[in-house]
Amino acid sequence: MSEAQLQIRGLRKVFSGARADVVALTGVDLDVARGEVITVIGPSGCGKSTLLKIIAGLEADYEGTVELDGLPVHGPGSSRAVVFQEHRLFPWLTVAQNIAGNQPLRKPAVRARVEELLRVVKLEGFATAYPKELSGGMAQRVAIARALLRDPEVLLLDEPFGALDAFTRSHMQDVLREIWRVRGTTMLFVTHDIDEALVLGDRVVVMSPRPGRIHEVLPVLLPPLRDRASAEFLELRAELVRVFGAIATGDEGEKAAA
Ligand code: ADP
Ligand code: MG
């Protein structure tokens, strides 16, 4: 039996179009260990969101297998939660109501859980605020709290900080690392940002487009608290820039075709 918590085998996803079919993913194999943080990076359109949606159970029509603790994933379930780039909060609900979702806030256990999550994402005192009163970073923290409500085994994040300014983004990365340190939640984190991939990931999965597949998996052998200015960090960064550059300019495609 494999030790992987999440096991992906032979994943292939084709979108049928009116004029042509799009092969969004092909030959994707990935094992994710319990408590591991995988960052997924790749050019736009390489199938990152499709991969996350399949794991989330939001995309049913595909080839291959996705197993969580040895059981095939069928449809959405509380074992997996997703955070999207836009916070997707309901504007007419308070922060606490957004986090609680369909669980009744009048129940003391639910209220206590929501308060705990507000502390986790450092938003104590904002329970009765409305989304329009929050900054982008705060709204994304509410979205993270909402995703953690049912204590998912795997947290899936699709460019969650992509719309935030650099300062807020770096703060949010710290918040997420702290959540991971305390809870040990397995995470798959999609990003466009090379630094973000290296700050958060235990391994970086680099994807190449058309058709989307895993090009390379780069282990990030750095201490848990990442120092962006360290020689080791900058060395890995240079390596990732090189890999990424080769994909973007299509050198790899030519190599593959040759
Ligand atoms: P990424 O998140 O890496 O930017 P996506 O997973 O969103 O990429 O998309 C991968 C490919 O699949 C793209 O070529 C995209 O146009 C196509 N695609 C994604 N979703 C659909 C859909 N619902 N219908 C048709 N094509 C889609
Ligand atoms: Mg995407």
Side-chain angles (χ1 to χ4, degrees):
M1 201 184 117
S2 155
E3 284 176 41
Q5 181 185 22
L6 182 67
Q7 190 182 66
I8 297 166
R9 287 290 176 274
L11 205 60
R12 180 177 166 85
K13 170 70 192 173
V14 181
F15 289 105
S16 313
R19 271 174 291 137
D21 290 350
V22 174
V23 183
L25 293 171
T26 193
V28 173
D29 297 325
L30 186 66
D31 280 2
V32 182
R34 191 175 303 280
E36 196 175 21
V37 180
I38 299 286
T39 46
V40 180
I41 192 164
S44 187
C46 72
K48 304 181 294 296
S49 295
T50 303
L51 175 63
L52 244 59
K53 279 184 200 151
I54 289 174
I55 299 169
L58 299 172
E59 191 73 71
D61 180 24
Y62 59 89
E63 290 168 43
T65 58
V66 178
E67 290 185 355
L68 189 61
D69 290 317
L71 295 172
V73 159
H74 286 306
S78 59
S79 58
R80 292 139 292 137
V82 194
V83 179
F84 298 95
Q85 180 167 355
E86 31 351 302
H87 55 69
R88 301 194 183 187
L89 300 177
F90 295 112
W92 59 87
L93 297 181
T94 64
V95 163
Q97 287 166 338
N98 266 290
I99 294 173
N102 58 12
Q103 301 203 20
L105 262 179
R106 57 174 192 285
K107 272 194 180 172
V110 175
R111 184 168 291 275
R113 176 78 178 134
V114 168
E115 306 253 306
E116 181 205 340
L117 289 168
L118 283 170
R119 278 194 298 279
V120 168
V121 297
K122 302 191 168 57
L123 280 177
E124 299 101 321
F126 284 90
T128 57
Y130 284 87
K132 67 171 188 300
E133 301 169 65
L134 308 176
S135 69
M138 290 159 81
Q140 249 340 3
R141 278 185 273 160
V142 176
I144 292 171
R146 178 178 56 183
L148 292 173
L149 182 77
R150 290 163 195 269
D151 226 349
E153 293 190 45
V154 180
L155 188 57
L156 305 162
L157 305 109
D158 195 354
E159 305 194 37
F161 310 149
L164 306 177
D165 64 82
F167 182 79
T168 308
R169 187 174 191 141
S170 144
H171 173 63
M172 294 296 291
Q173 290 162 2
D174 292 344
V175 170
L176 197 67
R177 277 208 77 85
E178 181 62 14
I179 290 171
W180 174 81
R181 196 185 62 79
V182 173
R183 312 176 73 88
T185 310
T186 309
M187 298 190 198
L188 257 86
F189 187 109
V190 166
T191 180
H192 263 110
D193 187 291
I194 286 176
D195 288 288
E196 186 162 79
L198 289 174
V199 164
L200 294 175
D202 295 313
R203 287 188 290 156
V204 180
V205 168
V206 183
M207 293 187 60
S208 58
R210 280 177 293 277
R213 52 204 154 76
I214 294 180
H215 173 77
E216 194 166 325
V217 181
L218 191 79
V220 185
L221 303 172
L222 297 174
L225 213 63
R226 307 277 150 89
D227 175 2
R228 294 162 187 257
S230 72
E232 295 78 13
F233 188 95
L234 293 172
E235 205 173 297
L236 264 179
R237 189 180 192 285
E239 159 97 17
L240 204 48
V241 168
R242 188 189 57 72
V243 172
F244 211 61
I247 291 169
T249 56
D251 289 356
E252 293 303 319
E254 279 165 33
K255 238 197 306 185

